[in-house]
Amino acid sequence: MQKDRTFVRITFYFVVASMAISLCSTAWKILIGHQGKYSLVAAEVAAGLLLVLVPAFLSRIFRFQLPTFLYFFFMAFIYCAIYLGDAYRFYYIPYWDKFLHLISGALLLGLGFAVLGLLQKQPGRLSPAFLCLYGIAFAVFCGVLWEFYEFSVDSFFAMDLQRYAAKGRDLPGRAALMDTMGDLFADAAGSALFSLYAYWRLKKDPAWLTSFFFKKS
């Protein structure tokens, strides 16, 4: 587990350093007169950096240990979604959104393990197969809740988060479902792929499950 923590620490330094350098570079461009072009980028990078740093600061203040893999997937998701996706327009890359759902599937499976650690006194007694099936079910359930949110926002605020329209017109039948179902397939695939790794680790060392738990430091 020490190797896992080292890997996550290196990832943390990389994410924070790259975002900080980008934020400084963008701030400089704003200062020399490019406010309109770079103000939004600076705000998005700053938001991403804040989201990555806040859990680390809270863990120090309240003296708890961040779950290793959970924090890793959280950082990866924020980096790819806000830093690369929003600030640097990676969403224009085909299927970038689906790639993010793959990451979120793994993140949500880890969150399911963390929730289990909070609710179950001795989760280590559960079999690796059951833990992985539970993790996949939890991740897909959270993915469904997210699609509920997108559907509600689209319904009440006339937006297009679920990509059901094109050029101002609603798409017909199956075409209107493609984005939503693609997101759910990606959620399921991401959680299933990470569950295979989790199963292998749990078979070798059942205590690996505790790397997803919130513990006092």
Side-chain angles (χ1 to χ4, degrees):
M1 289 190 182
Q2 185 59 41
K3 290 182 179 178
D4 294 339
R5 294 193 188 98
T6 301
F7 175 70
V8 172
R9 190 177 298 112
I10 292 171
T11 303
F12 173 79
Y13 290 143
F14 168 77
V15 169
V16 170
S18 59
M19 283 186 170
I21 292 170
S22 180
L23 184 59
C24 291
S25 173
T26 306
W28 171 252
K29 291 174 182 177
I30 292 173
L31 288 174
I32 62 175
H34 298 285
Q35 291 91 344
K37 186 177 181 180
Y38 291 102
S39 295
L40 180 59
V41 173
E44 289 169 338
V45 174
L49 184 59
L50 187 64
L51 285 171
V52 169
L53 290 174
V54 164
F57 282 126
L58 290 178
S59 70
R60 287 180 177 272
I61 294 171
F62 295 104
R63 296 186 177 182
F64 66 90
Q65 186 178 346
L66 286 170
T68 307
F69 275 89
L70 189 61
Y71 191 44
F72 166 76
F73 282 113
F74 174 75
M75 288 189 294
F77 182 80
I78 294 300
Y79 190 81
C80 293
I82 296 180
Y83 180 67
L84 296 179
D86 286 330
Y88 288 96
R89 306 297 181 258
F90 271 46
Y91 280 116
Y92 288 106
I93 298 175
Y95 302 109
W96 183 256
D97 178 57
K98 300 301 178 278
F99 170 69
L100 291 178
H101 276 275
L102 284 174
I103 298 176
S104 70
L107 170 63
L108 292 170
L109 185 142
L111 179 61
F113 286 167
V115 170
L116 184 65
L118 294 173
L119 301 178
Q120 184 75 18
K121 291 183 178 179
Q122 293 180 315
R125 290 189 174 184
L126 300 172
S127 71
F130 175 82
L131 288 170
C132 291
L133 287 174
Y134 154 78
I136 293 171
F138 183 91
V140 174
F141 170 70
C142 290
V144 170
L145 291 181
W146 178 257
E147 295 303 323
F148 285 173
Y149 159 76
E150 288 191 342
F151 176 81
S152 299
V153 171
D154 287 347
S155 299
F156 292 115
F157 301 103
M159 297 181 69
D160 189 24
L161 297 180
Q162 293 190 304
R163 303 295 186 269
Y164 64 90
K167 298 180 179 179
R169 294 185 178 182
D170 290 354
L171 296 169
R174 185 181 179 88
L177 296 173
M178 293 301 291
D179 181 74
T180 297
M181 294 309 301
D183 290 348
L184 291 175
F185 273 118
D187 289 333
S191 60
L193 288 172
F194 186 60
S195 74
L196 295 176
Y197 175 75
Y199 180 81
W200 173 70
R201 289 295 300 264
L202 290 167
K203 289 290 286 185
K204 290 182 61 178
D205 179 18
W208 181 76
L209 183 67
T210 63
S211 65
F212 292 91
F213 298 171
F214 290 92
K215 295 175 285 188
K216 284 287 186 180
S217 58

